[in-house]
Structures are given as C-alpha cells and as structure tokens.
Amino acid sequence: MQRDIQNIVILTGAGVSAESGVATFRGPDGLWEGHRVEDVATPEAFARDPDLVQKFYDARRAKLRTVEPNAAHQALAKLDAHWPGDLLLVTQNVDDLHDRAGSKRLLHMHGELNSAWCLACDERSRFDGVMADDPACPHCQQTGHLRPDIVWFGEMPYQMERIELALAQCDLFVSIGTSGAVYPAAGFVQSARHYGVQTLEMNLDPSEGSFHFHESRMGRAGDLVPDWVAEILQDI
Ligand code: BV8
C-alpha cells in the first residue's frame, strides 16, 4: 500500500494536544473549561459579553506558555520535513504546538490563539498578550476593536477551498485525536472516501466517524503517531 501513497492530508483535534496538558473540549461535565460552548465560542456570546469571551481566550493563550509540543507533534513535524510528496496538516486546534514542533505545511482551520483580528481595519496580527485590556491594533492603532482570530460556531472555517482541493488530490487521509463531533471537519473522511482515498484514524476512543475509516488504531497519539510516521517514512 505505502508505495502508491504520494499525497497526504492529516486532520488533528484536541486529542493530539491532550498529552501536552491542553484540555480537550468536552470535559466529563460536558463543559469546556467550566463554560458552555455557546457562552464563549459564538459571535452572539461575544456581542453579549465580550469581557467574558476575552478573558476565556486570554486564559487559554496564557496557558500556552506553560505547555510544550509532545511526541505526536514532533513526529508530524518530522514527517513534514521528510515527506517528498504533497502533505497538508489541517488542525482544528487553536494552540501553537504544531507550529512550535516545526510543522510548516500547516493550516489552522479554526484560527489561532496567538492571532488578533481588528474589526476596524480588518487586519490580523500576531498577538500573545491580554486582549481584555483593550490593547491598540498594531496596524491602525485604534483600541476597542480587537477580537480573538478564532472561528466560532456559526462562522465559516478558514481556507475550506484549499482543504477540499487537497482532499480531492490526496491518496491518504489521516485523522488524529478528534471526536468527529464538529462540522465541516467531521465530514472530511466522507469527502475522502468519496474521492476513493485511503483513510486511517488514530484516536484514544472510537469517534463519531470511526465507521467511515478503512483502518482505526486506538491508543494515545504520543504512542501511535511516532510509530505510524516511522512506518510510512521507511518506505520512501
Ligand atoms: C459552520 C475554535 C456555517 C474555538 C471550534 C452539520 C451537522 C450538524 C451541525 C453542523 C453541521 N454543519 C455545521 C454545524 C454547526 C457546527 C457544528 O458542527 N456543531 C456541532 C457541535 C454539532 N459547526 C459550525 O458552527 C462550524 N461553522 O458550520 O459555519 C457556515 C456555512 C457557510 C457560511 C458561513 C457559516 C464552525 C465550527 C468551528 C467552531 N470552532 N474551535 C475554540 O477553540 O475556542 S470547534 C472546536 O470543537 C475544535 O476546534 C474542534 O473542532 C471541536 C472539538 O473537537 P475535537 O478537537 O475533536 O475535541 P474533543 O474534545 O471533542 O475530542 C477529543 C478526541 O481526542 C476524543 O475523541 C478523544 O477520544 C481523543 N483523545 C483524547 N486524548 C487523546 C485522544 N486521542 C489520542 N491521544 C490522546 N492522548
């Protein structure tokens, strides 16, 4: 099988960052860091209570300084560096752990904690501070118009055309550490199957889309992903 794999699309979710100490989404109480998703990750929530939403993202942004990429992030960065064919790593995660591990062919489809979006000048800028303090936009210097550069529920994810094109042109689709609960990401495996693509899942537990995959490997990303990367690189 490996010999005819040229182009790969990889989708990651919160599970790939779990071993780094970044909380996944649906805690045992169904809450997200103590909040209902609809109270902190929707445009309506931001309009209703911008301070709550800013503080929620400021806390997650500050947390990034206390965590490090794990073996799964590092293995995917190694694959990115050595894979001769096309490779696109699409992450649903807004943390910067894939970036810090060295992945380059990387796309944050749901945005990034370390990016600010100014609603006055529509510019985006790297940001690692406290947005609840109403800082000025680095581009237009206006205050009071920055929002987290995050795709909230009801908003269109980033670069969907590029993702769909990569799915249509790849030979292998790999899903790592995601529950398959949120669309359109949860629908990528069905698109891949539609294009006749080989599909592989690596996850701690069965996901809502497991039955769509040709192969599912259950376990921790920190164990499964380095083994899979070694396996696929040995054949090039
Ligand atoms: C849109 C940024 C429309 C925020 C996020 C079709 C059907 C039903 C509903 C919909 C549909 N289409 C659209 C919807 C609505 C909605 C949706 O899907 N709702 C769900 C809840 C039903 N989708 C949207 O609103 C999307 N936008 O549709 O726009 C549109 C169309 C045209 C024009 C304009 C608009 C936008 C969705 C994006 C929202 N933003 N994130 C932030 O981060 O603050 S989503 C967020 O939740 C994450 O990014 C991720 O996508 C999702 C969480 O899922 P996971 O990452 O998978 O995490 P989870 O905790 O659930 O699971 C972790 C998994 O890891 C588990 O399976 C576990 O077993 C595993 N695991 C744990 N530890 C490990 C591990 N695996 C391996 N190793 C380990 N150590």
Side-chain angles (χ1 to χ4, degrees):
M1 181 197 47
Q2 306 302 1
R3 227 145 291 300
D4 57 4
I5 301 289
Q6 295 297 322
N7 305 329
I8 304 174
V9 173
I10 301 168
L11 174 70
T12 63
V16 82
S17 293
E19 292 158 65
S20 294
V22 177
T24 58
F25 272 74
R26 300 225 169 1
D29 55 8
L31 292 181
W32 190 10
E33 307 240 6
H35 295 274
R36 287 178 321 134
V37 169
E38 51 275 21
D39 292 342
V40 287
T42 63
E44 297 75 20
F46 189 61
R48 192 173 51 242
D49 188 344
D51 197 51
L52 171 72
V53 173
Q54 293 286 26
K55 284 196 168 69
F56 175 71
Y57 285 102
D58 285 343
R60 293 173 65 195
R61 193 176 302 111
K63 170 90 176 177
L64 289 185
R65 285 191 280 277
T66 69
V67 296
E68 295 298 328
N70 61 53
H73 298 109
Q74 282 142 9
L76 292 170
K78 180 179 175 189
L79 180 64
D80 183 33
H82 295 92
W83 186 254
D86 289 352
L87 181 140
L88 182 62
L89 175 54
V90 179
T91 187
Q92 299 167 79
N93 301 341
V94 296
D95 66 51
D96 62 350
L97 296 177
H98 282 305
D99 316 66
R100 286 158 55 189
S103 283
K104 298 287 183 275
R105 295 182 275 181
L106 170 65
L107 189 167
H108 284 269
M109 73 177 289
H110 291 163
E112 300 174 65
L113 285 167
N114 289 338
S115 180
W117 179 12
C118 178
L119 301 178
C121 69
D122 199 29
E123 289 286 342
R124 286 167 166 83
S125 47
R126 304 313 294 164
F127 183 88
D128 64 0
V130 175
M131 218 178 275
D133 294 350
D134 233 354
C137 166
H139 290 279
C140 69
Q141 305 318 319
Q142 294 184 69
T143 60
H145 299 286
L146 291 185
R147 65 159 270 184
D149 183 15
I150 301 275
V151 176
W152 286 325
F153 287 90
E155 296 182 324
M156 180 54 108
Y158 293 153
Q159 304 191 52
M160 284 303 296
E161 299 77 23
R162 183 179 168 204
I163 297 171
E164 277 301 331
L165 188 62
L167 286 169
Q169 296 172 341
C170 73
D171 309 294
L172 176 63
F173 171 70
V174 181
S175 175
I176 304 169
T178 184
S179 59
V182 171
Y183 288 78
F188 292 169
V189 62
Q190 286 130 303
S191 302
R193 293 298 303 259
H194 169 72
Y195 296 120
V197 171
Q198 197 68 25
T199 58
L200 167 66
E201 176 186 46
M202 289 178 269
N203 216 52
L204 192 61
D205 317 290
S207 68
E208 295 186 18
S210 286
F211 61 92
H212 290 296
F213 288 87
H214 291 98
E215 180 186 355
S216 285
R217 300 180 187 181
M218 295 292 123
R220 295 154 54 89
D223 305 326
L224 294 176
V225 177
D227 292 352
W228 170 68
V229 168
E231 188 187 306
I232 198 164
L233 283 179
Q234 81 189 3
D235 289 301
I236 58 172

